[in-house]
Amino acid sequence: PYFRISCDALVESARAWRAFRAEGFEAGISWMERVVALQARSWRPEAGAIWDAEEQLAEMHLIRHAGRKGHSRRMHDHHHDHHNHGDNEHGDLRRALAAYERALAVYPNRYRPLAGAAGAAAMLREDKACEYYGRLLALVAPPTPTIQLDGVDPAPCQGHPATSRPELRAAAAYVKAMCQVA
């Protein structure tokens, strides 16, 4: 059953992304909400082990936020349209943050939802951005993880330096500029 649930979640996630791209933001988000419900009904953390449906839903909201922000800016610049898009803009950010927080409830130390929640909270200018960025930086802080396999001497995990990840550069800059460090 675990394999089937995981496979179903992956297939349905792919369909949601196809709908998001081909049919529009609303269609894709609606489909991904059904994937989130499937994952929640079966509640198997393994079902989201590759890319959790809540994380994907959050990403869709962030993409829609960026699209609306760009659209409203173009409308303002080219047509002098003065409609207030603030509710939609903040609504998507709030929905993204909520989805990342639901993912964190299942995977409390997972990189992607920590980085995403921190970024969404920072865009919303919420205090919890400092908490999430702090947790993200602590997650990747030295000591370097060690790989241990039977019959092989322990070896440090090489990976990429923390500065090569844009989320970590953003975290360090945000914490330095916006958070009171004890």
Side-chain angles (χ1 to χ4, degrees):
Y2 292 137
F3 175 76
R4 178 171 174 136
I5 292 166
S6 187
C7 185
D8 287 349
L10 288 172
V11 168
E12 293 303 311
S13 293
R15 289 179 175 152
W17 280 106
R18 183 183 65 205
F20 189 75
R21 177 74 171 122
E23 299 169 33
F25 294 148
E26 304 308 319
I29 287 172
S30 176
W31 199 304
M32 189 59 73
E33 287 170 342
R34 291 192 301 269
V35 179
V36 166
L38 167 71
Q39 188 174 295
R41 275 193 315 273
S42 61
W43 202 83
R44 304 283 193 280
E46 302 84 22
I50 295 174
W51 193 11
D52 181 76
E54 293 283 11
E55 294 173 42
Q56 293 181 68
L57 180 61
E59 291 293 324
M60 286 180 168
H61 283 297
L62 290 177
I63 291 168
R64 183 170 67 179
H65 160 75
R68 284 183 172 168
K69 187 175 175 185
H71 176 72
S72 67
R73 184 174 293 133
R74 284 190 305 275
M75 292 294 291
H76 178 73
D77 290 347
H78 296 295
H79 301 289
H80 305 291
D81 182 1
H82 295 284
H83 291 287
N84 182 0
H85 296 281
D87 290 341
N88 287 337
E89 181 177 333
H90 283 51
D92 276 330
L93 290 174
R94 290 190 194 296
R95 285 186 284 277
L97 178 58
Y100 281 128
E101 288 174 334
R102 288 189 301 268
L104 285 170
V106 178
Y107 311 101
N109 290 317
R110 189 163 157 145
Y111 182 92
R112 184 69 235 145
L114 270 176
M123 286 188 273
L124 287 165
R125 301 192 191 293
E126 291 194 7
D127 292 339
K128 55 180 140 181
C130 289
E131 174 198 342
Y132 289 137
Y133 275 136
R135 285 174 54 192
L136 180 64
L137 292 171
L139 182 67
V140 298
T144 303
T146 301
I147 299 171
Q148 293 181 302
L149 301 171
D150 289 339
V152 178
D153 291 333
C157 182
Q158 296 302 314
H160 297 283
T163 56
S164 71
R165 302 212 52 181
E167 300 92 349
L168 296 177
R169 287 193 304 271
Y174 190 91
V175 167
K176 183 178 179 181
M178 304 297 290
C179 306
Q180 293 182 344
V181 181

